[in-house]
C-alpha cells in the first residue's frame, strides 16, 4: 500500500459500510415484501383464485414481454399504461359506479357532492383496509368482487383480439392477440390485481400502503407520505453538504498536485509488438459496431411505434416485430455492444500489463469468448422473438425466451451463458494481471485496483441469478438492481476510471502516483453513493421507510463526484496537446471528454431530477425516466465503449489515418442527436406528463386519453429529427471502425525508434 494507505483504508471502509447497509436492508426487503395471499375469496367463502394463480399470472405477464409492454410498479416501458395504476383506477371507478347504482339508483357522476364524498370515504376505507387474515386469506366484499370482474373483463379483451379495443391496442403499441390463451389472460389479471392491491392496502399498523402510497391516486388518498417528504428534503441537504465538502477537499488537496511528467518522443504503446490475442480483437470491434448499428436502427423503429402503434409508415409490422420485442432487442443490444467494448479494452490491456506477451493459450481463450458472445446474442434474441410471438411453450419461456424484467430480459439459460462468458473474461484478464502483481518491485497499487474492478465485473453479474421465475416481485427488484445499478453504474464506472488512468500513466501523460491517487479517491466516491444508492430504484417496490431513507440519502451522494466532471473533461482535453503523437488519439480522447459531459448532465442533473422520493413519486414511469436513461446509458457508457473501441483500433491499426470528416460527423452527430432527442421530445413530454400526474394521478399521465393529445403526438413525431441525426452519426462511427479494421484508408508513415529510446 505504501503512501496510499489512507486511500486504501478509506475505500475498504466505504465498501464494508455500504455493503453492510445494502445487505442488511436487503434482508428487510425479504421480510417486509407485500404478502401474496394464499387465497382470495368472496363473502360466501368461494375461492376466486390463490397464490399459485397470481404467480401463474406473473409468468404469463413475463411471456408477453413483461416490463417491455407497459410497466408494473412504475418499472418498464412508457407507451402502454402502468398496469398497476391503470388497474387500480379502473377497479376504483367500477366500485364507485356499482355503489352509486346500488345505493342511489343512479350513475356516480349524477350524484351531488356530499353523496359522492360519502361514497369516496367508503371506498377509501374498503381499499386501504388490510383484509388478509391470520390464515393468509384475503376476503373481499361482494361489490369489490364485481368491480374486479369488470376490470378483468376489460384486460381480457385488451390482451386478446377483441374488435372493441383494437384502437386501444394500437395506441398502446400492442399487437393483436397479445396473449392468445384465455386461461393465461385470466391468470395475468390476477397478477395485475395483486400489484394494485399492494399499492392500495396499508401495511399492518401503518398509515402507508405496501408501496409507500404509490401511485398517486386521489380517490383513495394515495399521496406522498410524510416520510417521503422528510427524506426528499434530507437528500437535497446531503447533496449540498457533499458538494461543499468536495469543494473544500478539492481546494486543499490540489496544493499537492505534481507537475505533469515530460511526454515521450513517441507513443510508448507503439513500442510493444502486438500479441496474437491482441490481433484477434478486431472481430470484437466489428461486433461492437454491428450491434451498435442494429441497436440504433431498432431504437428508431421502436420510437416510431409511439406514433403509429402497430405500423411503420402504414405497413403493419406489429404482427412480426411488435413494440415489446423491438424494445427488448434495443435495450439488450445496447448492453451487449457496450459490454463487448469494455471486454475488448480489458483484453487489449492484459498483455501490456504482462510485459507485452500473451500467457499460454490466451489467443484461444479470446476466440472462444468471442464466439460464446455471438452465441448468447443470437440465442437470446431468437428466444425473445419466440416468446413474444407466443410460439414457445410457456414452461420454456423463462429459461429460453423472455424473463420479462427490463435490462435482464434474456432467458435464464442465455443469462447463465453470459455470466459464464464474463467469468471466462475474468480468467483471461487475471492470467495477464496476476504475474505482473507478483513481480517484485514497482508501484502495484493502480494495478491492484484495476484487478479488483475486473474481479467485481466478473462476479457481480451473478447477482442476476439470485431470483427465479416465480420469485416475489419485490425480491426480484432487489437483485435486478444489483445488476442494472451496482454492476453497471458502480463497478463498470470504477473499471473505466482505473483503466483510463492506467492507459494515461502508461502513455506517460500523467504520473503513476497521480493516476493511482485519483483512481482510489474516485472509487471511494463512486462506491459511497453507488452501493446503498441502489435502493433509490426501490422506493415504491414494496419496501419500507428505511429503504427509502438509505436510498435517498446515499444516492444523493452519487451526484457529488459528477459535479466536478467538467474539470475531468478539461484535463482529458488538455492531454491532447501533451505530445505531437497524441493527435493520433484525438477521437478516443474526444469520446472521453463526451463521457465527462454526459456523466455530469445525464447521470448527475437528469439523475437527480428523478432521484428524491418526492420527485420519483410523481414521475416514476414517465418520459422523464428515459431522459436519464438515454443520457446516462449512451452518453456515459456508450461513449466510453466507443472511446475504448477507437483506442484499441488505433493500436491494432497503428498506421491507419482516421478520417476527419467521418469522425466529425460521428462525434457531433451522436452528441447533437442525443441532445435533440432529449430536449425536443422526451423531456417536454415528461414535463407535461409530470403535471398531469401531480394534478390527476399516474393513471391519467399514462392513459390513452392523455397520451393521444395532438401536442404529445407532435412532440413524439418531432423526435424523428434527433433520431435521424443520431443515426447518421452512428453510421459514420461504424464506417470509420470498419474501414480501420480493413485498413482502407491512407496510412501514417512509421517513424524509426531513436537510439536508446525506451521500449515500454
Amino acid at each position: 500500500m505504501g503512501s496510499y494507505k489512507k486511500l486504501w483504508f478509506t475505500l475498504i471502509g466505504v465498501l464494508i459500510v455500504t455493503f453492510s447497509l445494502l445487505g442488511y436492508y436487503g434482508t428487510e426487503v425479504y421480510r417486509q415484501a407485500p404478502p401474496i395471499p394464499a387465497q382470495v375469496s368472496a363473502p360466501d367463502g368461494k375461492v376466486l383464485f390463490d397464490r399459485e394463480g397470481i404467480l401463474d399470472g406473473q409468468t404469463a405477464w413475463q411471456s408477453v414481454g413483461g416490463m417491455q409492454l407497459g410497466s408494473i410498479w412504475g418499472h418498464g416501458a412508457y407507451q402502454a399504461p402502468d398496469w398497476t395504476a391503470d388497474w387500480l383506477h379502473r377497479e376504483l371507478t367500477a366500485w364507485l359506479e356499482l355503489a352509486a347504482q346500488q345505493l342511489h339508483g343512479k350513475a356516480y357522476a349524477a350524484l351531488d357532492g356530499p353523496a359522492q364524498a360519502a361514497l369516496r370515504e367508503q371506498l377509501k376505507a374498503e381499499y386501504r383496509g388490510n383484509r388478509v387474515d391470520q390464515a393468509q386469506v384475503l376476503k373481499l366484499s361482494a361489490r369489490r368482487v364485481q368491480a374486479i370482474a369488470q376490470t378483468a373483463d376489460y384486460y381480457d379483451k385488451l390482451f386478446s383480439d377483441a374488435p372493441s379495443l383494437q384502437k386501444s391496442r394500437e395506441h398502446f403499441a400492442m399487437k393483436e392477440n397479445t396473449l392468445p390463451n384465455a386461461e393465461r389472460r385470466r391468470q395475468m389479471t390476477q397478477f395485475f390485481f395483486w400489484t394494485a392491491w399492494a399499492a392500495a392496502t396499508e401495511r399492518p399498523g401503518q398509515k402507508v400502503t405496501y408501496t409507500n402510497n404509490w401511485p398517486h391516486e386521489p380517490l383513495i388518498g394515495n399521496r406522498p407520505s410524510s416520510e417521503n417528504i422528510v427524506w426528499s428534503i434530507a437528500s437535497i441537504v446531503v447533496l449540498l453538504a457533499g458538494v461543499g465538502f468536495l469543494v473544500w477537499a478539492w481546494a486543499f488537496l490540489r496544493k499537492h498536485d505534481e507537475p505533469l511528467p515530460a511526454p515521450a518522443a513517441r507513443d510508448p504503446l507503439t513500442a510493444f509488438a502486438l500479441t496474437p490475442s491482441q490481433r484477434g480483437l478486431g472481430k470484437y470491434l466489428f461486433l461492437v459496431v454491428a450491434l451498435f448499428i442494429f441497436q440504433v436502427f431498432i431504437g428508431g423503429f421502436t420510437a416510431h411505434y409511439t406514433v403509429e402503434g402497430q405500423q411503420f409508415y402504414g405497413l403493419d409490422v406489429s404482427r412480426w416485430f411488435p413494440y415489446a420485442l423491438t424494445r427488448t432487442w434495443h435495450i439488450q443490444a445496447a448492453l451487449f455492444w457496450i459490454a463487448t467494448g469494455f471486454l475488448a479494452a480489458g483484453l487489449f490491456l492484459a498483455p501490456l500489463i504482462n510485459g507485452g506477451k500473451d500467457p499460454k493459450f490466451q489467443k484461444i481463450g479470446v476466440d472462444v469468448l468471442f464466439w460464446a458472445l455471438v452465441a448468447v446474442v443470437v440465442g437470446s434474441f431468437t428466444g425473445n422473438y419466440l416468446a413474444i410471438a407466443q410460439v414457445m411453450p410457456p414452461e420454456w419461456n423463462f429459461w429460453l425466451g423472455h424473463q420479462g424484467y427490463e435490462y435482464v430480459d434474456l432467458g435464464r439459460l442465455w443469462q447463465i451463458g453470459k455470466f459464464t462468458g464474463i467469468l471466462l473474461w475474468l480468467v483471461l484478464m487475471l492470467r495477464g494481471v496476476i504475474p505482473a502483481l507478483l513481480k517484485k518491485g514497482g508501484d502495484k497499487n493502480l494495478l491492484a485496483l484495476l484487478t479488483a474492478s475486473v474481479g467485481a465485473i466478473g462476479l457481480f453479474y451473478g447477482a442476476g441469478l439470485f431470483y427465479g421465475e416465480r420469485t416475489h416481485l419485490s425480491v426480484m427488484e432487489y437483485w435486478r438492481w444489483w445488476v442494472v445499478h451496482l454492476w453497471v453504474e458502480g463497478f463498470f464506472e470504477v473499471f473505466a476510471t482505473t483503466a483510463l488512468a492506467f492507459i494515461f500513466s502508461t502513455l506517460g501523460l500523467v504520473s503513476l502516483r497521480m493516476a493511482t491517487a485519483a483512481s482510489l479517491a474516485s472509487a471511494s466516491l463512486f462506491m459511497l453513493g453507488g452501493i446503498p444508492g441502489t435502493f433509490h430504484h426501490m422506493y415504491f417496490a414494496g419496501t419500507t421507510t428505511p429503504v427509502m431513507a438509505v436510498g435517498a440519502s446515499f444516492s444523493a451522494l452519487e451526484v457529488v463526484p459528477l459535479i466536478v466532471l467538467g474539470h475531468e473533461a478539461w484535463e482529458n482535453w488538455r492531454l491532447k496537446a501533451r505530445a505531437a503523437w497524441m493527435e493520433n488519439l484525438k477521437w478516443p480522447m474526444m469520446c472521453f471528454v463526451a463521457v465527462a459531459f454526459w456523466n455530469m448532465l445525464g447521470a448527475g442533473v437528469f439523475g437527480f431530477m428523478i432521484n428524491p422520493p418526492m420527485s420519483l413519486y410523481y414521475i416514476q414511469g414517465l418520459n422523464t425516466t428515459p431522459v436519464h436513461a438515454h443520457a446516462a446509458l449512451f452518453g456515459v457508457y456508450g461513449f466510453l465503449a466507443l472511446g475504448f473501441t477507437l483506442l484499441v483500433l488505433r493500436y491494432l491499426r497503428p498506421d491507419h489515418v482516421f478520417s476527419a470528416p467521418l469522425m466529425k460527423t460521428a462525434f457531433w452527430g451522436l452528441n447533437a442527436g442525443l441532445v435533440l432527442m432529449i430536449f425536443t421530445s422526451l423531456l417536454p413530454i415528461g414535463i407535461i406528463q409530470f403535471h398531469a400526474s401531480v394534478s390527476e394521478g399516474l393513471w391519467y399521465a399514462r392513459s390513452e386519453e392523455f397520451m393521444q393529445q395532438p401536442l404529445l403526438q407532435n412532440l413524439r413525431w418531432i423526435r424523428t429529427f434527433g433520431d435521424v441525426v443520431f443515426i447518421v452519426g452512428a453510421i459514420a462511427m461504424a464506417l470509420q471502425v470498419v474501414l480501420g479494421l480493413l485498413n482502407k484508408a491512407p496510412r501514417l508513415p512509421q517513424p524509426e525508434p531513436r537510439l536508446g529510446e525506451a521500449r515500454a
Side-chain angles (χ1 to χ4, degrees):
M1 286 187 187
S3 60
Y4 309 104
K5 189 176 292 185
K6 289 182 180 178
L7 289 170
W8 274 112
F9 280 136
T10 299
L11 177 58
I12 293 167
V14 164
L15 291 174
I16 291 171
V17 171
T18 53
F19 269 113
S20 297
L21 285 169
L22 188 64
Y24 177 79
Y25 289 109
T27 62
E28 188 82 354
V29 172
Y30 277 83
R31 290 196 302 266
Q32 301 291 341
I36 303 177
Q39 292 181 346
V40 178
S41 68
D44 60 3
K46 177 185 176 183
V47 176
L48 303 175
F49 48 90
D50 59 15
R51 185 178 191 275
E52 291 306 305
I54 293 170
L55 292 176
D56 286 339
Q58 180 174 315
T59 65
W61 164 73
Q62 290 167 351
S63 73
V64 297
M67 291 179 176
Q68 302 297 358
L69 182 62
S71 57
I72 291 286
W73 287 351
H75 295 299
Y78 312 100
Q79 181 63 10
D82 179 88
W83 305 120
T84 303
D86 187 69
W87 176 289
L88 180 59
H89 188 76
R90 288 180 185 279
E91 187 185 327
L92 295 176
T93 53
W95 189 99
L96 288 172
E97 284 300 328
L98 288 167
Q101 291 293 345
Q102 291 166 5
L103 299 177
H104 301 282
K106 57 176 72 173
Y108 175 76
L111 299 178
D112 59 22
Q116 286 187 346
L119 286 183
R120 287 198 300 272
E121 283 302 308
Q122 292 181 46
L123 177 80
K124 181 178 177 180
E126 175 158 350
Y127 275 78
R128 293 186 72 90
N130 197 320
R131 302 175 188 278
V132 178
D133 63 19
Q134 293 295 320
Q136 289 296 296
V137 175
L138 171 59
K139 297 179 180 178
L140 303 176
S141 69
R143 188 179 297 153
R144 188 165 184 182
V145 170
Q146 285 182 273
I148 291 169
Q150 288 184 18
T151 309
D153 181 63
Y154 164 81
Y155 278 94
D156 180 69
K157 291 176 180 174
L158 181 66
F159 281 82
S160 71
D161 55 1
S164 59
L165 291 178
Q166 191 280 324
K167 204 65 182 174
S168 293
R169 284 190 291 276
E170 183 180 333
H171 290 158
F172 296 156
M174 297 171 64
K175 68 172 184 172
E176 294 299 303
N177 223 7
T178 300
L179 187 56
N181 187 295
E183 173 62 16
R184 301 196 80 210
R185 288 199 300 271
R186 185 182 66 81
Q187 292 167 343
M188 188 169 68
T189 63
Q190 296 166 8
F191 172 65
F192 286 172
F193 159 78
W194 173 78
T195 68
W197 172 83
T201 304
E202 292 181 354
R203 287 183 180 274
Q206 298 187 30
K207 293 298 182 183
V208 294
T209 70
Y210 285 106
T211 57
N212 283 315
N213 284 356
W214 185 94
H216 181 216
E217 179 49 83
L219 286 176
I220 54 168
N222 262 17
R223 295 184 178 87
S225 64
S226 55
E227 292 86 358
N228 184 309
I229 297 169
V230 167
W231 289 108
S232 295
I233 295 171
S235 72
I236 296 171
V237 173
V238 169
L239 170 64
L240 294 174
V243 171
F245 280 117
L246 183 65
V247 170
W248 274 76
W250 189 272
F252 284 100
L253 294 176
R254 289 275 294 168
K255 294 178 181 178
H256 305 292
D257 280 356
E258 297 176 356
L260 293 173
R266 59 175 289 192
D267 185 341
L269 292 186
T270 60
F272 290 94
L274 289 173
T275 68
S277 73
Q278 288 176 318
R279 288 196 295 270
L281 293 176
K283 52 185 174 288
Y284 280 77
L285 307 190
F286 181 80
L287 182 61
V288 167
V289 294
L291 284 171
F292 177 40
I293 289 297
F294 174 77
Q295 187 238 340
V296 169
F297 273 93
I298 206 73
F301 185 84
T302 303
H304 189 78
Y305 270 138
T306 66
V307 290
E308 284 189 285
Q310 295 178 330
Q311 299 181 333
F312 188 75
Y313 293 101
L315 180 65
D316 184 3
V317 288
S318 66
R319 289 178 291 174
W320 305 288
F321 303 104
Y323 175 88
L325 176 66
T326 60
R327 191 174 189 272
T328 298
W329 283 351
H330 176 61
I331 291 176
Q332 286 302 305
L335 297 180
F336 278 129
W337 75 257
I338 290 171
T340 303
F342 276 73
L343 299 186
L347 293 172
F348 179 78
L349 287 177
L352 295 178
I353 295 168
N354 195 38
K357 57 184 183 293
D358 277 339
K360 197 172 183 181
F361 304 122
Q362 184 82 348
K363 172 65 163 59
I364 295 174
V366 168
D367 291 343
V368 169
L369 176 58
F370 174 80
W371 292 111
L373 285 172
V374 171
V376 168
V377 171
V378 173
S380 63
F381 280 18
T382 303
N384 295 153
Y385 180 89
L386 295 175
I388 292 176
Q390 296 293 300
V391 172
M392 183 173 287
E395 61 271 18
W396 293 5
N397 175 72
F398 182 81
W399 285 92
L400 294 174
H402 201 301
Q403 288 190 38
Y405 299 128
E406 196 176 26
Y407 294 103
V408 283
D409 305 273
L410 69 175
R412 175 53 56 87
L413 184 66
W414 309 115
Q415 187 182 14
I416 292 171
K418 184 175 179 179
F419 183 42
T420 304
I422 293 169
L423 289 178
L424 174 57
W425 175 78
L426 172 58
V427 170
L428 294 172
M429 290 295 298
L430 292 179
R431 294 174 81 237
V433 171
I434 289 178
L437 276 175
L438 296 178
K439 280 184 182 177
K440 292 183 178 179
D443 185 344
K444 303 290 197 318
N445 285 275
L446 184 60
L447 192 54
L449 182 60
L450 182 65
T451 306
S453 68
V454 165
I457 288 173
L459 297 175
F460 274 82
Y461 183 74
L465 304 177
F466 285 14
Y467 62 85
E469 182 177 10
R470 299 168 77 84
T471 296
H472 192 290
L473 196 61
S474 298
V475 172
M476 180 283 304
E477 283 287 71
Y478 175 68
W479 291 113
R480 182 172 77 96
W481 288 112
W482 270 61
V483 176
V484 182
H485 178 94
L486 190 56
W487 185 65
V488 175
E489 297 183 41
F491 295 117
F492 266 107
E493 187 89 49
V494 174
F495 170 76
T497 301
T498 312
L500 283 176
F502 183 86
I503 291 168
F504 290 157
S505 63
T506 303
L507 290 172
L509 301 174
V510 296
S511 72
L512 179 60
R513 200 193 76 81
M514 285 177 62
T516 304
S519 296
L520 283 166
S522 297
S524 295
L525 282 172
F526 287 137
M527 295 294 97
L528 178 62
I531 293 173
T534 303
F535 282 134
H536 81 250
H537 299 281
M538 299 188 65
Y539 296 154
F540 314 118
T543 56
T544 51
T545 298
V547 169
M548 180 185 292
V550 171
S553 302
F554 281 90
S555 62
L557 293 175
E558 287 185 85
V559 183
V560 171
L562 306 180
I563 298 296
V564 296
L565 283 178
H567 179 268
E568 181 184 318
W570 163 248
E571 290 296 322
N572 288 344
W573 174 262
R574 195 172 62 143
L575 291 177
K576 288 197 312 93
R578 294 274 293 128
W581 49 264
M582 275 298 292
E583 183 62 26
N584 297 334
L585 299 177
K586 171 184 176 180
W587 292 109
M589 297 298 293
M590 289 290 283
C591 287
F592 301 142
V593 170
V595 168
F597 171 78
W598 286 108
N599 229 332
M600 181 273 296
L601 181 62
V605 176
F606 292 147
F608 193 74
M609 175 179 72
I610 64 175
N611 185 72
M614 175 64 82
S615 175
L616 197 61
Y617 178 85
Y618 289 109
I619 63 180
Q620 179 161 289
L622 304 185
N623 274 266
T624 43
T625 305
V627 166
H628 165 59
H630 281 81
L633 184 59
F634 177 77
V636 179
Y637 297 99
F639 268 118
L640 256 176
L642 291 175
F644 281 143
T645 297
L646 293 174
L647 193 69
V648 173
L649 176 63
R650 173 76 278 154
Y651 292 109
L652 290 186
R653 302 290 185 268
D655 56 343
H656 180 80
V657 179
F658 284 165
S659 164
L662 266 184
M663 286 311 305
K664 286 178 181 177
T665 302
F667 181 80
W668 295 112
L670 291 172
N671 279 285
L674 191 54
V675 167
L676 289 171
M677 192 188 307
I678 290 170
F679 287 99
T680 66
S681 182
L682 289 174
L683 186 58
I685 292 171
I687 292 171
I688 295 168
Q689 281 185 297
F690 176 33
H691 184 270
S693 179
V694 173
S695 58
E696 299 289 337
L698 179 69
W699 68 271
Y700 180 64
R702 291 280 295 271
S703 69
E704 182 179 7
E705 173 190 0
F706 182 79
M707 293 300 289
Q708 295 306 312
Q709 295 178 84
L711 173 60
L712 295 183
Q713 277 283 80
N714 290 337
L715 285 171
R716 290 196 291 273
W717 271 110
I718 286 171
R719 178 175 166 175
T720 305
F721 295 107
D723 285 354
V724 168
V725 172
F726 192 90
I727 288 170
V728 169
I731 292 172
M733 178 67 75
L735 191 58
Q736 176 63 88
V737 172
V738 171
L739 288 175
L741 290 172
L742 298 175
N743 230 355
K744 299 292 185 182
R747 301 184 179 188
L748 290 169
Q750 291 298 294
E752 290 297 320
R754 296 177 184 177
L755 187 63
E757 187 175 300
R759 300 289 293 171

